[in-house]
């Protein structure tokens, strides 16, 4: 039964991952990505990592995808379609991807992994304790440093978003000599005409 | 864990307090007094640098996630001086161009956050802290590269940088996950005893190495370097090429010589090939550059190749020479970038052609530039010569004669293009040379520190002995 569910999830994930990168509309790509993320959450449930699966659903499927959709909507029109690459380039990158995939799969499948014997699930209380523990296996330091990272990222984002006033360059605009000459000529001719008409009167 | 054991993290805690203090000061300072932010930040960081040289105990915290010893402590001190010099050099640019746009404090906040990431990366005792340190040191720099946001090139540089950095750290993280899968731990101590050269471990190592190689801009991963350096503000190009590269080279050395030592038979030939490729590519591309920032970018790629030369050896001599060389490189490149910064913030000129006849109008600046380029090229009176000489000795003592020979060929090539700049400054007259100008006191001080560092490292030999003594910690 577990195997059936696993393969079902895997097929959904791989299919929507391929659809996500090959779709020509940004918004559709994002929605396909959502299926990949939900599938990953399903895999975590299958392995009894309940907390991780919940986090995956709330943070990735819930938060991050919404963020991506927002930025897509802010930047692009919904109808806009991405360009299609040249077919030679497409084949080349497909070949490269397949080669990479075969190398990775070959190495991972040939590795003799030690099968873990413990099957007990990690409770939220244990995770919470590990997150704030400073002994070996505790994560208080990374936890704190990540908050500094978030602070820095926020400051950086504000710096970029707040923009800047345009500095006026002192370089003159490109001189269109022909146009200037023509204008001058026209003005001179008009003046001459005026003068002539005034002298006639 | 006792309270006074936090003293081991003195660098980190002090720097983070400075970040918070500046953040609060920015809130309460009136709008028309923003220029005093620069002085405030300089004073704070000056104190931090000075305090950093007080001796520090050895040990590890948080179950081995954070560790420190005298070598790490020494290198943090070097990074501090480097950043301090850089701040001095960029004060004029900040005051002249950035304060008008109501930006200035952010520069310090982001730069210090990035430096904090480097501290954590150097002190990391496990892959998690290493990775977070790597991210913390990279992410703020992307925002800094876009600091002159009204310039198109600046934004472009930032986008290029963040995309390639994200790819590199993603690849690196994938590699780390493989190392974790095969060893069952992320702590360096645990991995050291279980690491064996299975296929999956090697794949993980290579992916992990690629992420760091991106930061040092070794050759297959160097494409971002020249574009980003050219587009970003000079201070940030200088930061990327000096501080960021120095710290990454240092952490690469620590990892290779301790955790990844069991894989030495794998990374030795890898580094051998990468060293050659990096040196040749960097040098050959540097030959035809006209923009000074691009020129220094390719020159710094070539220098990274020399750093690998010392890493190949894997001995105590290798450690000492690499640290010595990186320290010299930091000061020399700071001086070179400082002169480019001084000229650019005064006149806005960045091309090699504009430097023609500089000696006649600004003799002191061109003298500093000459010393810096001599040091980068490795000409005797300055420190760079000893740095390269010791590197070659270290490599030759392990029997890499061919590698040393090819490296010497590269030194000759590099001599040619470094002398091109010197010829432009001293021998060419130039149609309209840069007129004489006086730099501000901060800039003068910044250049002075860089030049003193170069001279002291070359002429005062106890410094090298000190580094050699410290490097026993990693073997």
């Amino acid at each position: 039964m577990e195997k059936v569910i696993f393969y079902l999830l895997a097929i959904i994930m791989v299919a929507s991952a391929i659809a996500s990168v090959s779709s020509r509309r940004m918004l559709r790509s994002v929605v396909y990505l959502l299926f990949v993320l939900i599938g990953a959450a399903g895999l975590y449930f299958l392995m009894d990592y309940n907390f991780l699966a919940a986090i995956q659903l709330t943070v990735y499927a819930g938060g991050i995808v919404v963020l991506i959709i927002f930025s897509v909507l802010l930047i692009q029109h919904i109808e806009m379609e991405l360009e299609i690459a040249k077919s030679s380039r497409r084949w080349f990158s497909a070949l490269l991807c397949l080669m990479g995939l075969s190398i990775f799969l070959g190495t991972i499948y040939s590795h003799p992994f030690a099968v873990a014997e413990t099957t007990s699930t990690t409770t939220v209380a244990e995770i919470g304790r590990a997150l704030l523990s400073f002994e070996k296996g505790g994560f208080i330091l990374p936890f704190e440093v990540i908050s500094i990272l978030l602070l820095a990222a926020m400051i950086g984002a504000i710096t970029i978003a707040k923009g800047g006033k345009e500095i006026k360059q002192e370089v003159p605009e490109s001189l269109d000599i022909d146009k200037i000459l023509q204008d001058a000529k026209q003005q001179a001719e008009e003046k001459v005409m005026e003068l002539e008409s005034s002298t006639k009167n | 864990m006792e309270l006074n054991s936090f003293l081991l993290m003195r660098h980190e805690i002090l720097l983070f307090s400075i970040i918070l203090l500046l953040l609060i000061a920015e809130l309460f300072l009136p709008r028309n007094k923003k220029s005093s932010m620069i002085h405030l930040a300089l004073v704070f960081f000056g104190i931090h640098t000075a305090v950093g040289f007080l001796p520090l105990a050895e040990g590890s915290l948080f179950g081995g996630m954070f560790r420190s010893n005298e070598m790490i402590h020494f290198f943090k001190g070097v990074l501090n001086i480097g950043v301090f010099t850089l701040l001095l050099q960029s004060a004029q640019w900040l005051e002249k161009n950035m304060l008008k746009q109501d930006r200035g404090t952010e520069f310090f906040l982001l730069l210090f956050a990035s430096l904090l990431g480097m501290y954590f990366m150097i002190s990391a005792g496990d892959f998690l802290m290493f990775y977070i340190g790597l991210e913390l040191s990279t992410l703020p720099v992307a925002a800094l590269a876009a600091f002159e946001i009204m310039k198109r090139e600046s934004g472009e540089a930032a986008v290029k940088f963040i995309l390639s950095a994200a790819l590199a750290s993603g690849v690196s993280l994938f590699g780390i996950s493989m190392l974790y899968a095969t060893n069952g731990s992320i702590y360096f101590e645990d991995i050291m005893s279980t690491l064996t050269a299975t296929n999956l471990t090697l794949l993980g190592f290579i992916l992990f190495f690629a992420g760091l190689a991106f930061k040092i801009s070794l050759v297959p991963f160097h494409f971002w370097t020249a574009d980003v350096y050219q587009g970003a503000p000079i201070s940030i190009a200088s930061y990327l090429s000096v501080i960021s590269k120095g710290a990454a080279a240092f952490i690469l050395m620590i990892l290779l010589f301790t955790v990844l030592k069991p894989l030495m038979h794998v990374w030795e030939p890898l580094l051998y090939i990468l060293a050659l490729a990096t040196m040749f590519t960097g040098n050959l591309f540097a030959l035809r550059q006209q923009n000074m920032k691009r020129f220094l970018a390719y020159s710094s790629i070539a220098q990274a190749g020399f750093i690998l030369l010392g890493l190949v050896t894997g001995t105590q001599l290798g450690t000492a020479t690499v640290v010595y060389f990186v320290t010299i490189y930091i000061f020399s490149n700071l001086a070179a970038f400082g002169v480019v910064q001084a000229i650019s913030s005064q006149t806005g000129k960045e091309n090699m052609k504009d430097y023609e006849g500089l000696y006649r109008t600004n003799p002191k600046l061109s003298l500093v530039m000459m010393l810096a380029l001599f040091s980068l090229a490795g000409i005797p009176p300055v420190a760079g010569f000893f740095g390269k000489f010791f590197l070659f000795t270290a490599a030759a003592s392990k029997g890499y004669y061919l590698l040393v020979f090819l490296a010497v060929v590269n030194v000759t090539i590099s001599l040619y293009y470094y002398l091109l700049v010197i010829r432009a400054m001293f021998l060419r007259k130039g149609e309209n040379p840069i007129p004489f100008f006086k730099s501000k006191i901060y800039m003068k001080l910044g250049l002075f520190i860089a030049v003193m560092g170069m001279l002291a490292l070359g002429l005062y030999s106890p410094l090298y002995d000190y580094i050699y003594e410290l490097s026993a910690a990693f073997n």
Side-chain angles (χ1 to χ4, degrees):
Chain A
M1 186 61 195
E2 258 189 15
K3 266 194 176 164
V4 175
I5 297 176
F6 173 79
Y7 282 112
L8 210 65
L9 282 174
I11 289 170
I12 293 174
M13 278 172 76
V14 172
S16 25
I18 291 173
S20 172
V21 286
S22 57
S23 168
R24 284 173 63 197
R25 297 195 177 174
M26 284 279 251
L27 209 56
R28 285 191 189 181
S29 297
V30 181
V31 176
Y32 286 128
L33 182 70
L34 181 66
F35 288 120
V36 181
L37 296 172
I38 292 177
L43 285 185
Y44 291 143
F45 271 123
L46 205 61
M47 287 185 285
D48 271 346
Y49 291 132
N50 296 327
F51 184 71
L52 192 59
I55 293 289
Q56 170 84 11
L57 277 181
T58 48
V59 174
Y60 281 92
I64 301 223
V65 168
V66 172
L67 263 184
I68 299 176
I69 289 177
F70 261 121
S71 41
V72 168
L73 288 182
L74 282 177
I75 291 165
Q76 277 196 324
H77 296 290
I78 303 178
E79 302 88 34
M80 208 174 102
E81 291 190 344
L82 298 172
E83 285 174 42
I84 301 180
K86 271 189 237 155
S87 70
S88 61
R89 189 178 282 181
R90 257 191 298 170
W91 284 112
F92 181 66
S93 41
L95 204 70
L96 265 183
C97 286
L98 279 180
M99 252 171 61
L101 187 70
S102 58
I103 290 176
F104 279 106
L105 285 185
T107 352
I108 290 174
Y109 275 114
S110 65
H111 187 79
F113 281 105
V115 180
E117 280 152 20
T118 51
T119 49
S120 68
T121 54
T122 349
T123 61
V124 180
E126 280 173 57
I127 293 171
R129 235 169 259 133
L131 202 59
L132 293 180
S133 151
F134 49 78
E135 303 297 323
K136 190 165 181 179
F139 293 97
I140 179 86
L141 185 63
F143 182 69
E144 293 297 334
V145 178
I146 280 183
S147 63
I148 302 175
L149 176 63
L150 282 179
L151 177 70
M154 268 194 289
I155 295 173
I158 292 169
T159 319
I160 293 175
K162 118 172 145 181
K165 283 172 236 155
E166 198 75 38
I167 292 181
K168 270 181 192 159
Q169 298 257 319
E170 280 155 31
V171 185
E173 283 175 33
S174 60
L175 294 170
D176 196 350
I177 292 176
D178 287 342
K179 201 174 172 235
I180 293 172
L181 276 178
Q182 222 162 28
D183 283 354
K185 206 174 167 188
Q186 212 173 358
Q187 276 178 4
E189 273 172 4
E190 277 170 13
K191 271 243 168 93
V192 170
M193 294 269 277
E194 256 176 48
L195 276 177
E196 275 178 359
S197 61
S198 64
T199 45
K200 265 179 196 170
N201 292 333
Chain B
M1 209 158 112
E2 287 168 25
L3 204 58
N4 60 6
S5 58
F6 277 114
L7 280 180
L8 212 56
M9 302 177 70
R10 192 179 63 205
H11 283 282
E12 286 77 10
I13 293 174
L14 258 180
L15 191 59
F16 188 59
S17 328
I18 292 177
I19 293 176
L20 289 183
L21 276 175
L22 287 180
L23 204 59
I24 295 167
E26 157 80 17
L27 284 178
F28 289 105
L29 220 62
R31 226 164 215 289
N32 52 359
K33 284 193 178 162
K34 280 282 151 69
S35 68
S36 52
M37 250 355 254
I38 296 176
H39 310 296
L40 193 69
L42 274 172
V43 168
F44 277 153
F45 199 78
I47 293 170
H48 170 66
T49 310
V51 171
F53 278 99
L54 295 175
L56 196 66
E58 200 164 310
S60 67
L61 289 179
F62 299 103
M65 272 198 175
F66 181 92
R67 57 183 185 172
S68 189
N69 60 28
E70 279 187 56
M71 189 60 155
I72 290 174
H73 182 56
F74 169 78
F75 202 77
K76 279 179 189 167
V78 172
L79 288 183
N80 279 342
I81 300 183
V83 171
F84 186 59
T85 318
L86 191 103
L87 291 182
L88 287 174
Q89 288 173 355
S90 39
Q92 194 180 353
W93 165 74
L94 275 175
E95 198 165 2
K96 207 172 151 195
N97 297 335
M98 290 296 122
L99 276 185
K100 278 183 215 150
Q101 317 224 358
D102 193 23
R103 33 177 72 211
T105 322
E106 294 92 342
F107 178 81
F108 296 106
L109 294 177
L110 291 170
L111 202 71
F112 291 164
S114 168
L115 182 66
L116 190 64
M118 270 159 210
Y119 287 168
F120 279 119
M121 191 166 74
I122 293 173
S123 280
D126 70 335
F127 277 119
L128 184 61
M129 276 316 293
F130 167 80
Y131 178 70
I132 295 174
L134 187 77
E135 283 293 297
L136 183 55
S137 68
T138 316
L139 211 61
V141 181
L144 283 173
F147 209 68
E148 292 180 297
I149 196 78
M150 47 290 155
K151 275 193 193 164
R152 199 172 165 275
E153 305 89 46
S154 183
E156 197 181 310
V159 171
K160 271 180 191 161
F161 181 73
I162 196 141
L163 286 181
S164 21
L167 183 69
S169 62
V171 166
S172 188
L173 197 60
F174 193 31
I176 292 174
S177 78
M178 285 181 180
L179 288 176
Y180 176 60
T182 49
N183 293 293
S185 173
I186 49 170
Y187 288 91
F188 290 161
E189 310 172 339
D190 300 346
I191 291 177
M192 240 190 297
S193 52
T194 55
L195 199 67
T196 46
T198 58
N199 282 345
L200 195 57
T201 321
L202 292 186
L203 195 61
F205 162 69
I206 287 170
L207 291 179
F208 168 69
F209 181 79
L212 263 181
F214 162 82
K215 284 219 90 166
I216 317 179
S217 57
L218 298 180
V219 148
F221 316 100
H222 70 287
F223 291 102
W224 61 281
T225 318
D227 288 349
V228 172
Y229 283 20
Q230 191 183 9
I234 298 176
S235 314
I236 303 312
S238 175
Y239 181 79
L240 275 172
S241 101
V242 176
I243 310 295
S244 174
K245 186 176 280 197
F250 187 72
I251 180 72
L252 181 65
M253 186 199 75
I254 295 180
L255 289 179
L256 287 182
F257 288 3
T258 56
V259 194
L260 302 166
K261 192 95 176 178
L263 299 179
M264 187 164 173
H265 60 282
V266 180
W267 55 255
E268 234 177 334
L270 186 73
L271 289 188
Y272 192 104
I273 296 167
L274 285 186
L276 282 181
T278 309
M279 279 189 288
F280 274 108
T281 315
N283 277 328
L284 292 179
F285 275 89
L287 284 177
R288 11 186 331 222
Q289 299 306 324
Q290 284 304 314
N291 182 295
M292 278 308 279
K293 277 151 94 184
R294 278 188 94 82
F295 168 78
L296 284 172
Y298 280 109
S299 120
S300 81
I301 293 177
Q303 301 283 341
F306 289 111
I307 295 174
L308 285 192
L309 199 71
L311 288 180
V312 166
T313 59
T315 54
Q316 187 184 355
L317 187 65
T319 316
T321 49
V322 167
V323 174
Y324 185 59
F325 182 79
V326 170
T327 312
I328 292 169
Y329 165 79
I330 286 177
F331 284 113
S332 320
N333 232 9
L334 270 177
F337 268 109
V339 174
V340 176
Q341 169 87 280
I343 289 172
S344 171
S345 59
Q346 196 69 238
T347 62
K349 290 178 176 174
E350 285 173 5
N351 282 329
M352 207 186 281
K353 256 220 168 87
D354 306 323
Y355 282 59
E356 284 177 358
L358 188 69
Y359 178 64
R360 276 158 226 274
T361 51
N362 295 291
K364 279 183 201 158
L365 266 185
S366 41
L367 213 62
V368 173
M369 190 65 162
M370 186 190 78
L371 279 177
L373 292 177
F374 275 0
S375 181
L376 285 172
I379 291 176
V382 218
F385 167 73
F386 299 102
K388 285 222 168 82
F389 183 68
F390 290 154
L391 270 184
F392 294 163
T393 322
S397 69
K398 284 272 282 185
Y400 291 110
Y401 297 116
L402 183 64
L403 186 61
V404 171
F405 170 71
L406 290 172
V408 171
V409 171
N410 269 294
V411 171
T412 323
I413 302 173
S414 73
L415 201 58
Y416 170 71
Y417 62 74
Y418 287 130
L419 286 179
L420 273 185
V421 181
I422 292 174
R423 184 183 68 159
M425 288 190 307
F426 284 84
L427 301 179
R428 289 283 174 86
K429 275 193 180 150
E431 282 158 17
N432 46 347
I434 295 162
F436 174 75
F437 62 85
K438 268 197 143 102
S439 297
K440 294 271 168 60
I441 178 78
Y442 282 146
M443 176 59 92
K444 279 182 190 163
L445 199 61
L447 289 175
F448 178 74
I449 293 176
V451 170
M452 281 319 285
M454 271 191 311
L455 291 177
L457 279 162
L459 299 178
Y460 187 62
S461 62
L463 277 173
Y464 175 74
D465 294 336
Y466 178 63
I467 292 174
Y468 186 79
E469 227 171 82
L470 293 184
S471 59
F474 290 114
N475 284 284

